[in-house]
Amino acid sequence: GEESPAQIKLRAQRLNVNSENLLLLSETVLENVLETVHKLSPDILVMDSIQTIYRTDLESAPGSVGQVRECGAELMRLAKTDNVATILIGHVTKEGVIAGPRTLEHMVDTVLYLEGERHHAYRILRSVKNRFGSTNEIGVFEMQEAGMVEVSNPSKVFLSERTREIPGSTVVCSLEGTRPLLVEIQALVSPASYGNPQRVPTGFNHRRLSMLLAVLERRAGLNLGMHDVFANIAGGLKLEEPAVDLGIAAAVASAFKNRNADPDTAVVGEIGLGGEIRSVSQLDKRINEAQKLGFKRMIIPAHNQRTAGNAKIQLIEVRFLSEALQTLIA
């Protein structure tokens, strides 16, 4: 619906796509699309994009709320009556949500977001709705000349450019669905020279960072009130789970004290307002991932229950933030 067959042919040649089972239809009128589908009975129908398709019996323009809703409903009926797996590709707004009516998300069975920063090579395929499976799974891909290629070991890739001997760098094990990911968290702390101190997180929640800084100041004795704090999840990832709290706090403390965190130690743990290290889910998977990537030690919550008792990595159980910082920062 957006590019001519000649343009798409150039893309296909670059990606080495050559199949007799692929039909390209350059069409934006829904009635013509439906007629072709009924005639050919394909196994899969891909619409790119739903915002370009329109019904001739509606006066509104393509991409409008009415057109997207009605075209989406018609395609849903087609998928169910003709047993055709249908994939609708849609644009997103600047806020990162699907453009058009929210009813489109309610009608379909699965909603997948392809996330990625413009200046990073990695793309995350994330499920936010799935009637037939988990919504916690992700796929990690790398953009190359031949298209998107699956990253079989994302943890190794995200740590490949890590500088080991530098203050403000820690490694935390996050869990995306059932997949453990080891990622580097970087922090930079400097005296505030221009009025109010800045708190700038990249890749996680701003309020979460403010809370962790308050806990560091109150429970760990770090005077961060007059310092700018910048924190970043390396690789363009976005992490939301509280289990990365300890990694963020340790990176900030390392940068503030200008002392290196142990590069062979990974951390995991949620931080409470009292400075306590709270338990996290599926700890065994996180431990195995750190062990597989060659880490020698891992700081974990003391209250966490573990089933794997034969881990070759040294496990250091901590109850409070101050204990973790003393262990991690030389």
Side-chain angles (χ1 to χ4, degrees):
E2 296 182 350
E3 295 182 332
S4 68
Q7 289 176 301
I8 299 177
K9 181 184 177 182
L10 293 175
R11 290 175 178 265
Q13 290 174 337
R14 178 169 60 85
L15 299 175
N16 295 320
V17 176
N18 184 16
S19 173
E20 296 181 356
N21 296 323
L22 178 65
L23 173 67
L24 186 66
L25 180 65
S26 181
E27 184 61 74
T28 56
V29 178
L30 181 64
E31 290 85 350
N32 296 341
V33 173
L34 298 179
E35 181 182 351
T36 305
V37 171
H38 288 312
K39 186 186 303 182
L40 298 176
S41 298
D43 295 322
I44 300 175
L45 170 65
V46 182
M47 305 288 292
D48 183 14
S49 69
I50 184 63
Q51 279 90 359
T52 63
I53 307 299
Y54 67 95
R55 286 177 51 167
T56 55
D57 57 343
L58 297 179
E59 295 182 357
S60 53
S64 62
V65 171
Q67 286 282 8
V68 172
R69 182 175 58 241
E70 293 302 319
C71 290
E74 192 68 36
L75 289 167
M76 184 187 69
R77 284 192 289 270
L78 170 74
K80 294 183 181 299
T81 56
D82 288 25
N83 218 18
V84 178
T86 303
I87 300 173
L88 306 181
I89 299 175
H91 301 291
V92 295
T93 64
K94 291 181 179 179
E95 291 75 27
V97 297
I98 296 178
R102 299 290 294 185
T103 53
L104 190 61
E105 291 191 32
H106 300 315
M107 287 190 293
V108 299
D109 294 321
T110 303
V111 179
L112 302 174
Y113 278 90
L114 189 62
E115 305 172 351
E117 299 293 334
R118 179 180 301 176
H119 305 293
H120 289 90
Y122 303 110
R123 303 289 185 267
I124 308 295
L125 187 65
R126 189 184 303 273
S127 172
V128 296
K129 175 189 177 182
N130 191 353
R131 286 179 178 160
F132 304 106
S134 171
T135 58
N136 296 320
E137 302 299 333
I138 66 166
V140 182
F141 300 88
E142 183 179 7
M143 184 62 72
Q144 299 180 359
E145 281 190 13
M148 289 197 305
V149 179
E150 180 188 3
V151 177
S152 58
N153 191 343
S155 296
K156 186 176 181 180
V157 170
F158 290 136
L159 297 178
S160 60
E161 300 180 29
R162 174 184 171 221
T163 304
R164 292 170 59 89
E165 303 296 334
I166 186 172
S169 172
T170 59
V171 174
V172 66
C173 190
S174 177
L175 202 66
E176 293 290 329
T178 59
R179 170 178 283 186
L181 289 178
L182 285 171
V183 295
E184 180 187 9
I185 296 181
Q186 300 173 328
L188 181 64
V189 178
S190 61
S193 304
Y194 307 100
N196 293 330
Q198 300 183 67
R199 278 82 174 92
V200 185
T202 302
F204 58 96
N205 188 272
H206 183 277
R207 293 183 177 180
R208 194 76 186 175
L209 175 63
S210 299
M211 186 207 79
L212 293 174
L213 295 181
V215 174
L216 280 169
E217 187 154 350
R218 188 70 174 175
R219 308 300 181 191
L222 303 187
N223 187 15
L224 296 164
M226 296 305 296
H227 288 76
D228 294 331
V229 179
F230 303 88
N232 175 51
I233 307 295
L237 280 176
K238 295 181 180 178
L239 303 180
E240 297 181 356
E241 69 158 348
V244 303
D245 286 354
L246 183 55
I248 297 169
V252 172
S254 170
F256 178 76
K257 296 181 177 182
N258 199 30
R259 298 212 300 264
N260 299 343
D262 183 6
D264 293 318
T265 301
V267 302
V268 64
E270 178 184 352
I271 297 178
L273 292 180
E276 74 277 13
I277 306 299
R278 307 179 72 89
S279 58
V280 299
S281 63
Q282 302 187 56
L283 180 61
D284 291 330
K285 287 187 176 181
R286 304 176 198 261
I287 294 173
N288 291 335
E289 185 73 5
Q291 183 173 296
K292 187 169 64 176
L293 268 290
F295 284 86
K296 299 176 181 177
R297 302 192 304 171
M298 188 170 188
I299 297 177
I300 63 173
H303 299 289
N304 240 119
Q305 293 184 348
R306 293 186 290 111
T307 57
N310 57 349
K312 297 179 182 178
I313 188 173
Q314 181 186 359
L315 301 177
I316 303 171
E317 298 182 347
V318 294
R319 288 179 170 79
F320 296 98
L321 175 60
S322 55
E323 296 177 41
L325 297 182
Q326 289 174 5
T327 303
L328 185 64
I329 302 173

